[in-house]
Amino acid sequence: MATATDTLSPAEAQASPSPEAVVVRFAGDSGDGMQLTGGQFTLSTALAGNDLATFPDFPAEIRAPQGTLFGVSAFQINFGSSEIDTAGDAPDVLIAMNPAALKTNVEALKPGGLIIADEGEFNQRNLDKAKYDANPLEDDSLGKWQLLKLNISQLTLDAVKPYGLGNKEALRCKNMWTLGLALWMFDRDRAPLVDWLKAKFAKSPVLADANIAALNAGHAYGETAELGAMGITQRHVVAAPAEPGLYRTVTGADAIALGLVAGAQLASLPMFYGGYPITPASAILHALARLKEFGVTTFQAEDEIAAVASALGASYAGSLGVTCSSGPGIALKTEAIGLAIMTELPLVIVNAQRGGPSTGLPTKTEQSDLYQAVYGRNGDAPVPVIASRSAADCFDCAIEAVRIATQYMTPVMLLTDGYLQNAAEPWKVPDLSSYEPFPVTFHDQAPAEGEKFLPYARDNKLSRPWVKPGTPGLLHRIGGIEKAQGTGNIDYSPRNHQAMTDTRRDKVLGIAVPDQEIALGEEGSDLVVVGWGSTYGPIHQAVRRARARGLSVSQLHIRHIWPLPANLGSLLKGYGKILVPEMNTGQLKTVLRDQYLVDAQPLNKVSGQPFTIAEIEAAIEGAIG
């Protein structure tokens, strides 16, 4: 399935008004419920009809020491009345629930932006933990921003006092008080949140009522505290234009799970998912475990090797085998992936990349597993590789991975990353009848008398037949030792190994992938910015802004990393310069140089954070000169 394109001339770009958009970041201690608060604010924003993108950012520790700098959890949302492709560069509003949250996030805030701080948490103990020499709410260190300091802790205690909660339980409601204030600030409806709280705490009505009271109190504070005197007014962001249809908010993990199920349905196969918990891939296992009614079997194995081996065994038995991990787990799965290549069985492997090497940065994002995906196995072991560009795009990419795996009898790797896994955006639920089915046909006809079954015979795609074990008359060998052409018998001969290695390579290189489309711009501009994966959003917006200023720049975004689209080389050679932004040290850049002998120049970032639009804009200006 081809990536959608958006061609915009410089004149059109200059004629388009700037979209109205707001970036809000909630930040607090890991126990303050910032991810839940951000998630519910996202829900209210989606219901209001705004386009949006989110960026959850949280520590790797299960529970870092309270109040410390490395225990800060943040959730950023960018929402607006027009197309939103990223979670935003600099927040307009920062809600800081303690000193550590303020210190780690305030420098990202726009000059003149609004800080809402819970002054009840700015005591000496917490200031010391955040390494503040003086209280920043009381000196002039925050002078370039607007500051609204509220004792949110005390206001929450006052709001929930009638419900008889202990002090600790009562303070857990302060994220709802904060959410209520945010809902007032941006003219959001509280009713869906009230319904959600009632459902969440259905077995504990007192907790439901206390949280609802805190939510309402925060909203009422905004209405009655005359914040306008401080320059803080209610702001209504109108709904973004959208095609009619059914929409829902999805994360990348949600979309991959749904796409895998849809792909299995289009292939007319049951699905088996073998997984082992690892951040940020575990959410896919959680999502699939709730979809049993679609013929999905989920298995949490004892380790990564068992997870991929069980999935490969399921494929051998006639199911769609799927496994998922992050870089460290993919490394452990490598030998079994090689077995899938040698036996030529379909297998979908999802790699939700994170910062590495080794344990690295478990909750931060990176794109540093491209080499691992394309080259990272012993022997000549080619695997098709697909990369999704957004949370919603994960759905179509998962279907594409299933299509290639089942039609070409090969393992396929689908690359996402920590940002895509956790980020959310609106998604128009597609009509599955618009997708062309690709049903699997198992070989079940025994050979005629006197003839032999050839398990490694080839069709026009160089795929071998898929035979369920136990099918009468179709007994055959399978395993990791080199196969004889056609028969699949063990054959170590030099000529045979050369022929089988070439065949496995040619099968993958011959996979029909769509031609590369231009995501923004036209052929032959002075500069083309080439990306893959989650860099799509910031690249798209940076190129759009550069074109609005009259710069000759275009965007290509590659979905099929291996094999590459047939027309990509000729496209690249038509541009004056090539810039490749990546959240690694230059892996796609090296592949492009190797395959096409082009002078691709890198723009690299390995901080664990996504690119900002401004970073890519600056690189575009520098490249064009």
Side-chain angles (χ1 to χ4, degrees), residues 6 17 23 98 103 105 140 157 180 226 271 274 320 329-330 337 339 360 394 405 497 532 545 611:
D6 183 2
V23 181
N98 65 9
K103 187 162 195 175
N105 289 279
D140 295 326
L157 291 173
E226 299 184 0
M271 189 177 86
L320 172 65
I330 298 296
I337 295 171
L339 178 60
C394 286
H497 181 55
W532 67 279
R545 292 179 186 180
F611 275 106

Side-chain angles (χ1 to χ4, degrees), residues 171-506:
L171 285 174
R172 285 179 180 162
C173 300
K174 68 179 181 178
N175 63 332
M176 287 297 108
W177 194 100
T178 306
L179 179 58
L181 178 62
L183 294 179
W184 172 82
M185 287 179 64
F186 297 103
D187 195 19
R188 299 280 183 256
D189 185 9
R190 282 168 288 162
L193 282 303
V194 170
D195 292 341
W196 174 79
L197 285 167
K198 288 178 178 178
K200 180 176 176 63
F201 296 108
K203 295 182 179 179
S204 182
V206 172
L207 288 179
D209 291 342
N211 277 279
I212 292 168
L215 181 79
N216 289 334
H219 192 279
Y221 187 92
E223 289 180 315
T224 60
E226 299 184 0
L227 299 178
M230 300 178 230
I232 300 165
T233 57
Q234 192 176 50
R235 182 173 180 180
H236 179 77
V237 180
V238 300
E243 296 177 7
L246 174 65
Y247 286 80
R248 60 165 288 183
T249 300
V250 289
T251 64
D254 294 332
I256 285 176
L258 294 170
L260 289 170
V261 171
Q265 297 281 318
L266 291 168
S268 301
L269 289 173
M271 189 177 86
F272 177 92
Y273 180 94
Y276 180 75
I278 184 171
T279 302
S282 300
I284 296 174
L285 171 60
H286 302 160
L288 286 171
R290 297 191 290 267
L291 300 174
K292 294 181 176 66
E293 66 269 29
F294 297 105
V296 178
T297 300
T298 53
F299 169 57
Q300 182 174 313
E302 66 268 29
D303 55 42
E304 295 282 9
I305 298 171
V308 64
S310 65
L312 183 57
S315 289
Y316 172 60
S319 292
L320 172 65
V322 180
T323 191
C324 180
S325 191
S326 189
I330 298 296
L332 291 168
K333 295 178 190 289
T334 297
E335 184 179 3
I337 295 171
L339 178 60
I341 294 166
M342 179 63 83
T343 56
E344 299 186 52
L345 287 168
L347 179 68
V348 176
I349 308 129
V350 182
N351 182 352
Q353 300 165 93
R354 70 190 203 186
S358 187
T359 308
L361 307 174
T363 61
K364 308 303 178 185
T365 194
E366 208 163 274
Q367 291 181 302
S368 52
D369 294 350
L370 186 144
Y371 285 162
Q372 183 185 44
V374 177
Y375 304 121
R377 289 159 296 280
N378 68 296
D380 283 290
V383 164
V385 180
I386 301 169
S388 52
R389 74 181 194 183
S390 68
D393 187 50
C394 286
F395 179 81
D396 284 334
C397 286
I399 292 176
E400 178 75 337
V402 174
R403 181 188 72 83
I404 291 174
T406 55
Q407 296 298 297
Y408 290 87
M409 293 294 285
T410 178
V412 177
M413 191 167 292
L414 172 56
L415 295 175
T416 69
D417 58 46
Y419 174 62
L420 291 186
Q421 284 289 108
N422 297 317
E425 63 178 85
W427 175 56
K428 184 181 179 183
V429 179
D431 179 3
L432 205 58
S433 66
S434 65
Y435 289 78
E436 185 177 350
F438 41 86
V440 165
T441 302
F442 291 98
H443 186 76
D444 57 5
Q445 297 297 314
E449 188 173 350
E451 295 181 2
K452 289 185 177 180
F453 168 54
L454 298 177
Y456 284 83
R458 305 287 170 178
D459 62 14
N460 62 346
K461 299 190 293 290
L462 298 182
S463 298
R464 76 174 189 89
W466 193 356
V467 180
K468 291 183 180 181
T471 305
L474 299 180
L475 183 69
H476 62 283
R477 285 187 177 89
I478 195 163
I481 296 178
E482 184 60 280
K483 309 286 180 287
Q485 297 182 71
T487 66
N489 295 333
I490 294 172
D491 190 339
Y492 296 153
S493 67
R495 179 178 295 177
N496 179 74
H497 181 55
Q498 181 75 56
M500 289 297 281
T501 299
D502 290 347
T503 299
R504 289 188 290 263
R505 176 202 63 199
D506 292 345

Side-chain angles (χ1 to χ4, degrees), residues 99 118-129 132 135:
D118 179 7
E119 65 179 344
E121 290 293 318
F122 280 70
N123 54 47
Q124 192 58 51
R125 185 163 178 259
N126 285 341
L127 290 169
D128 291 342
K129 288 181 181 181
Y132 273 118
N135 188 340

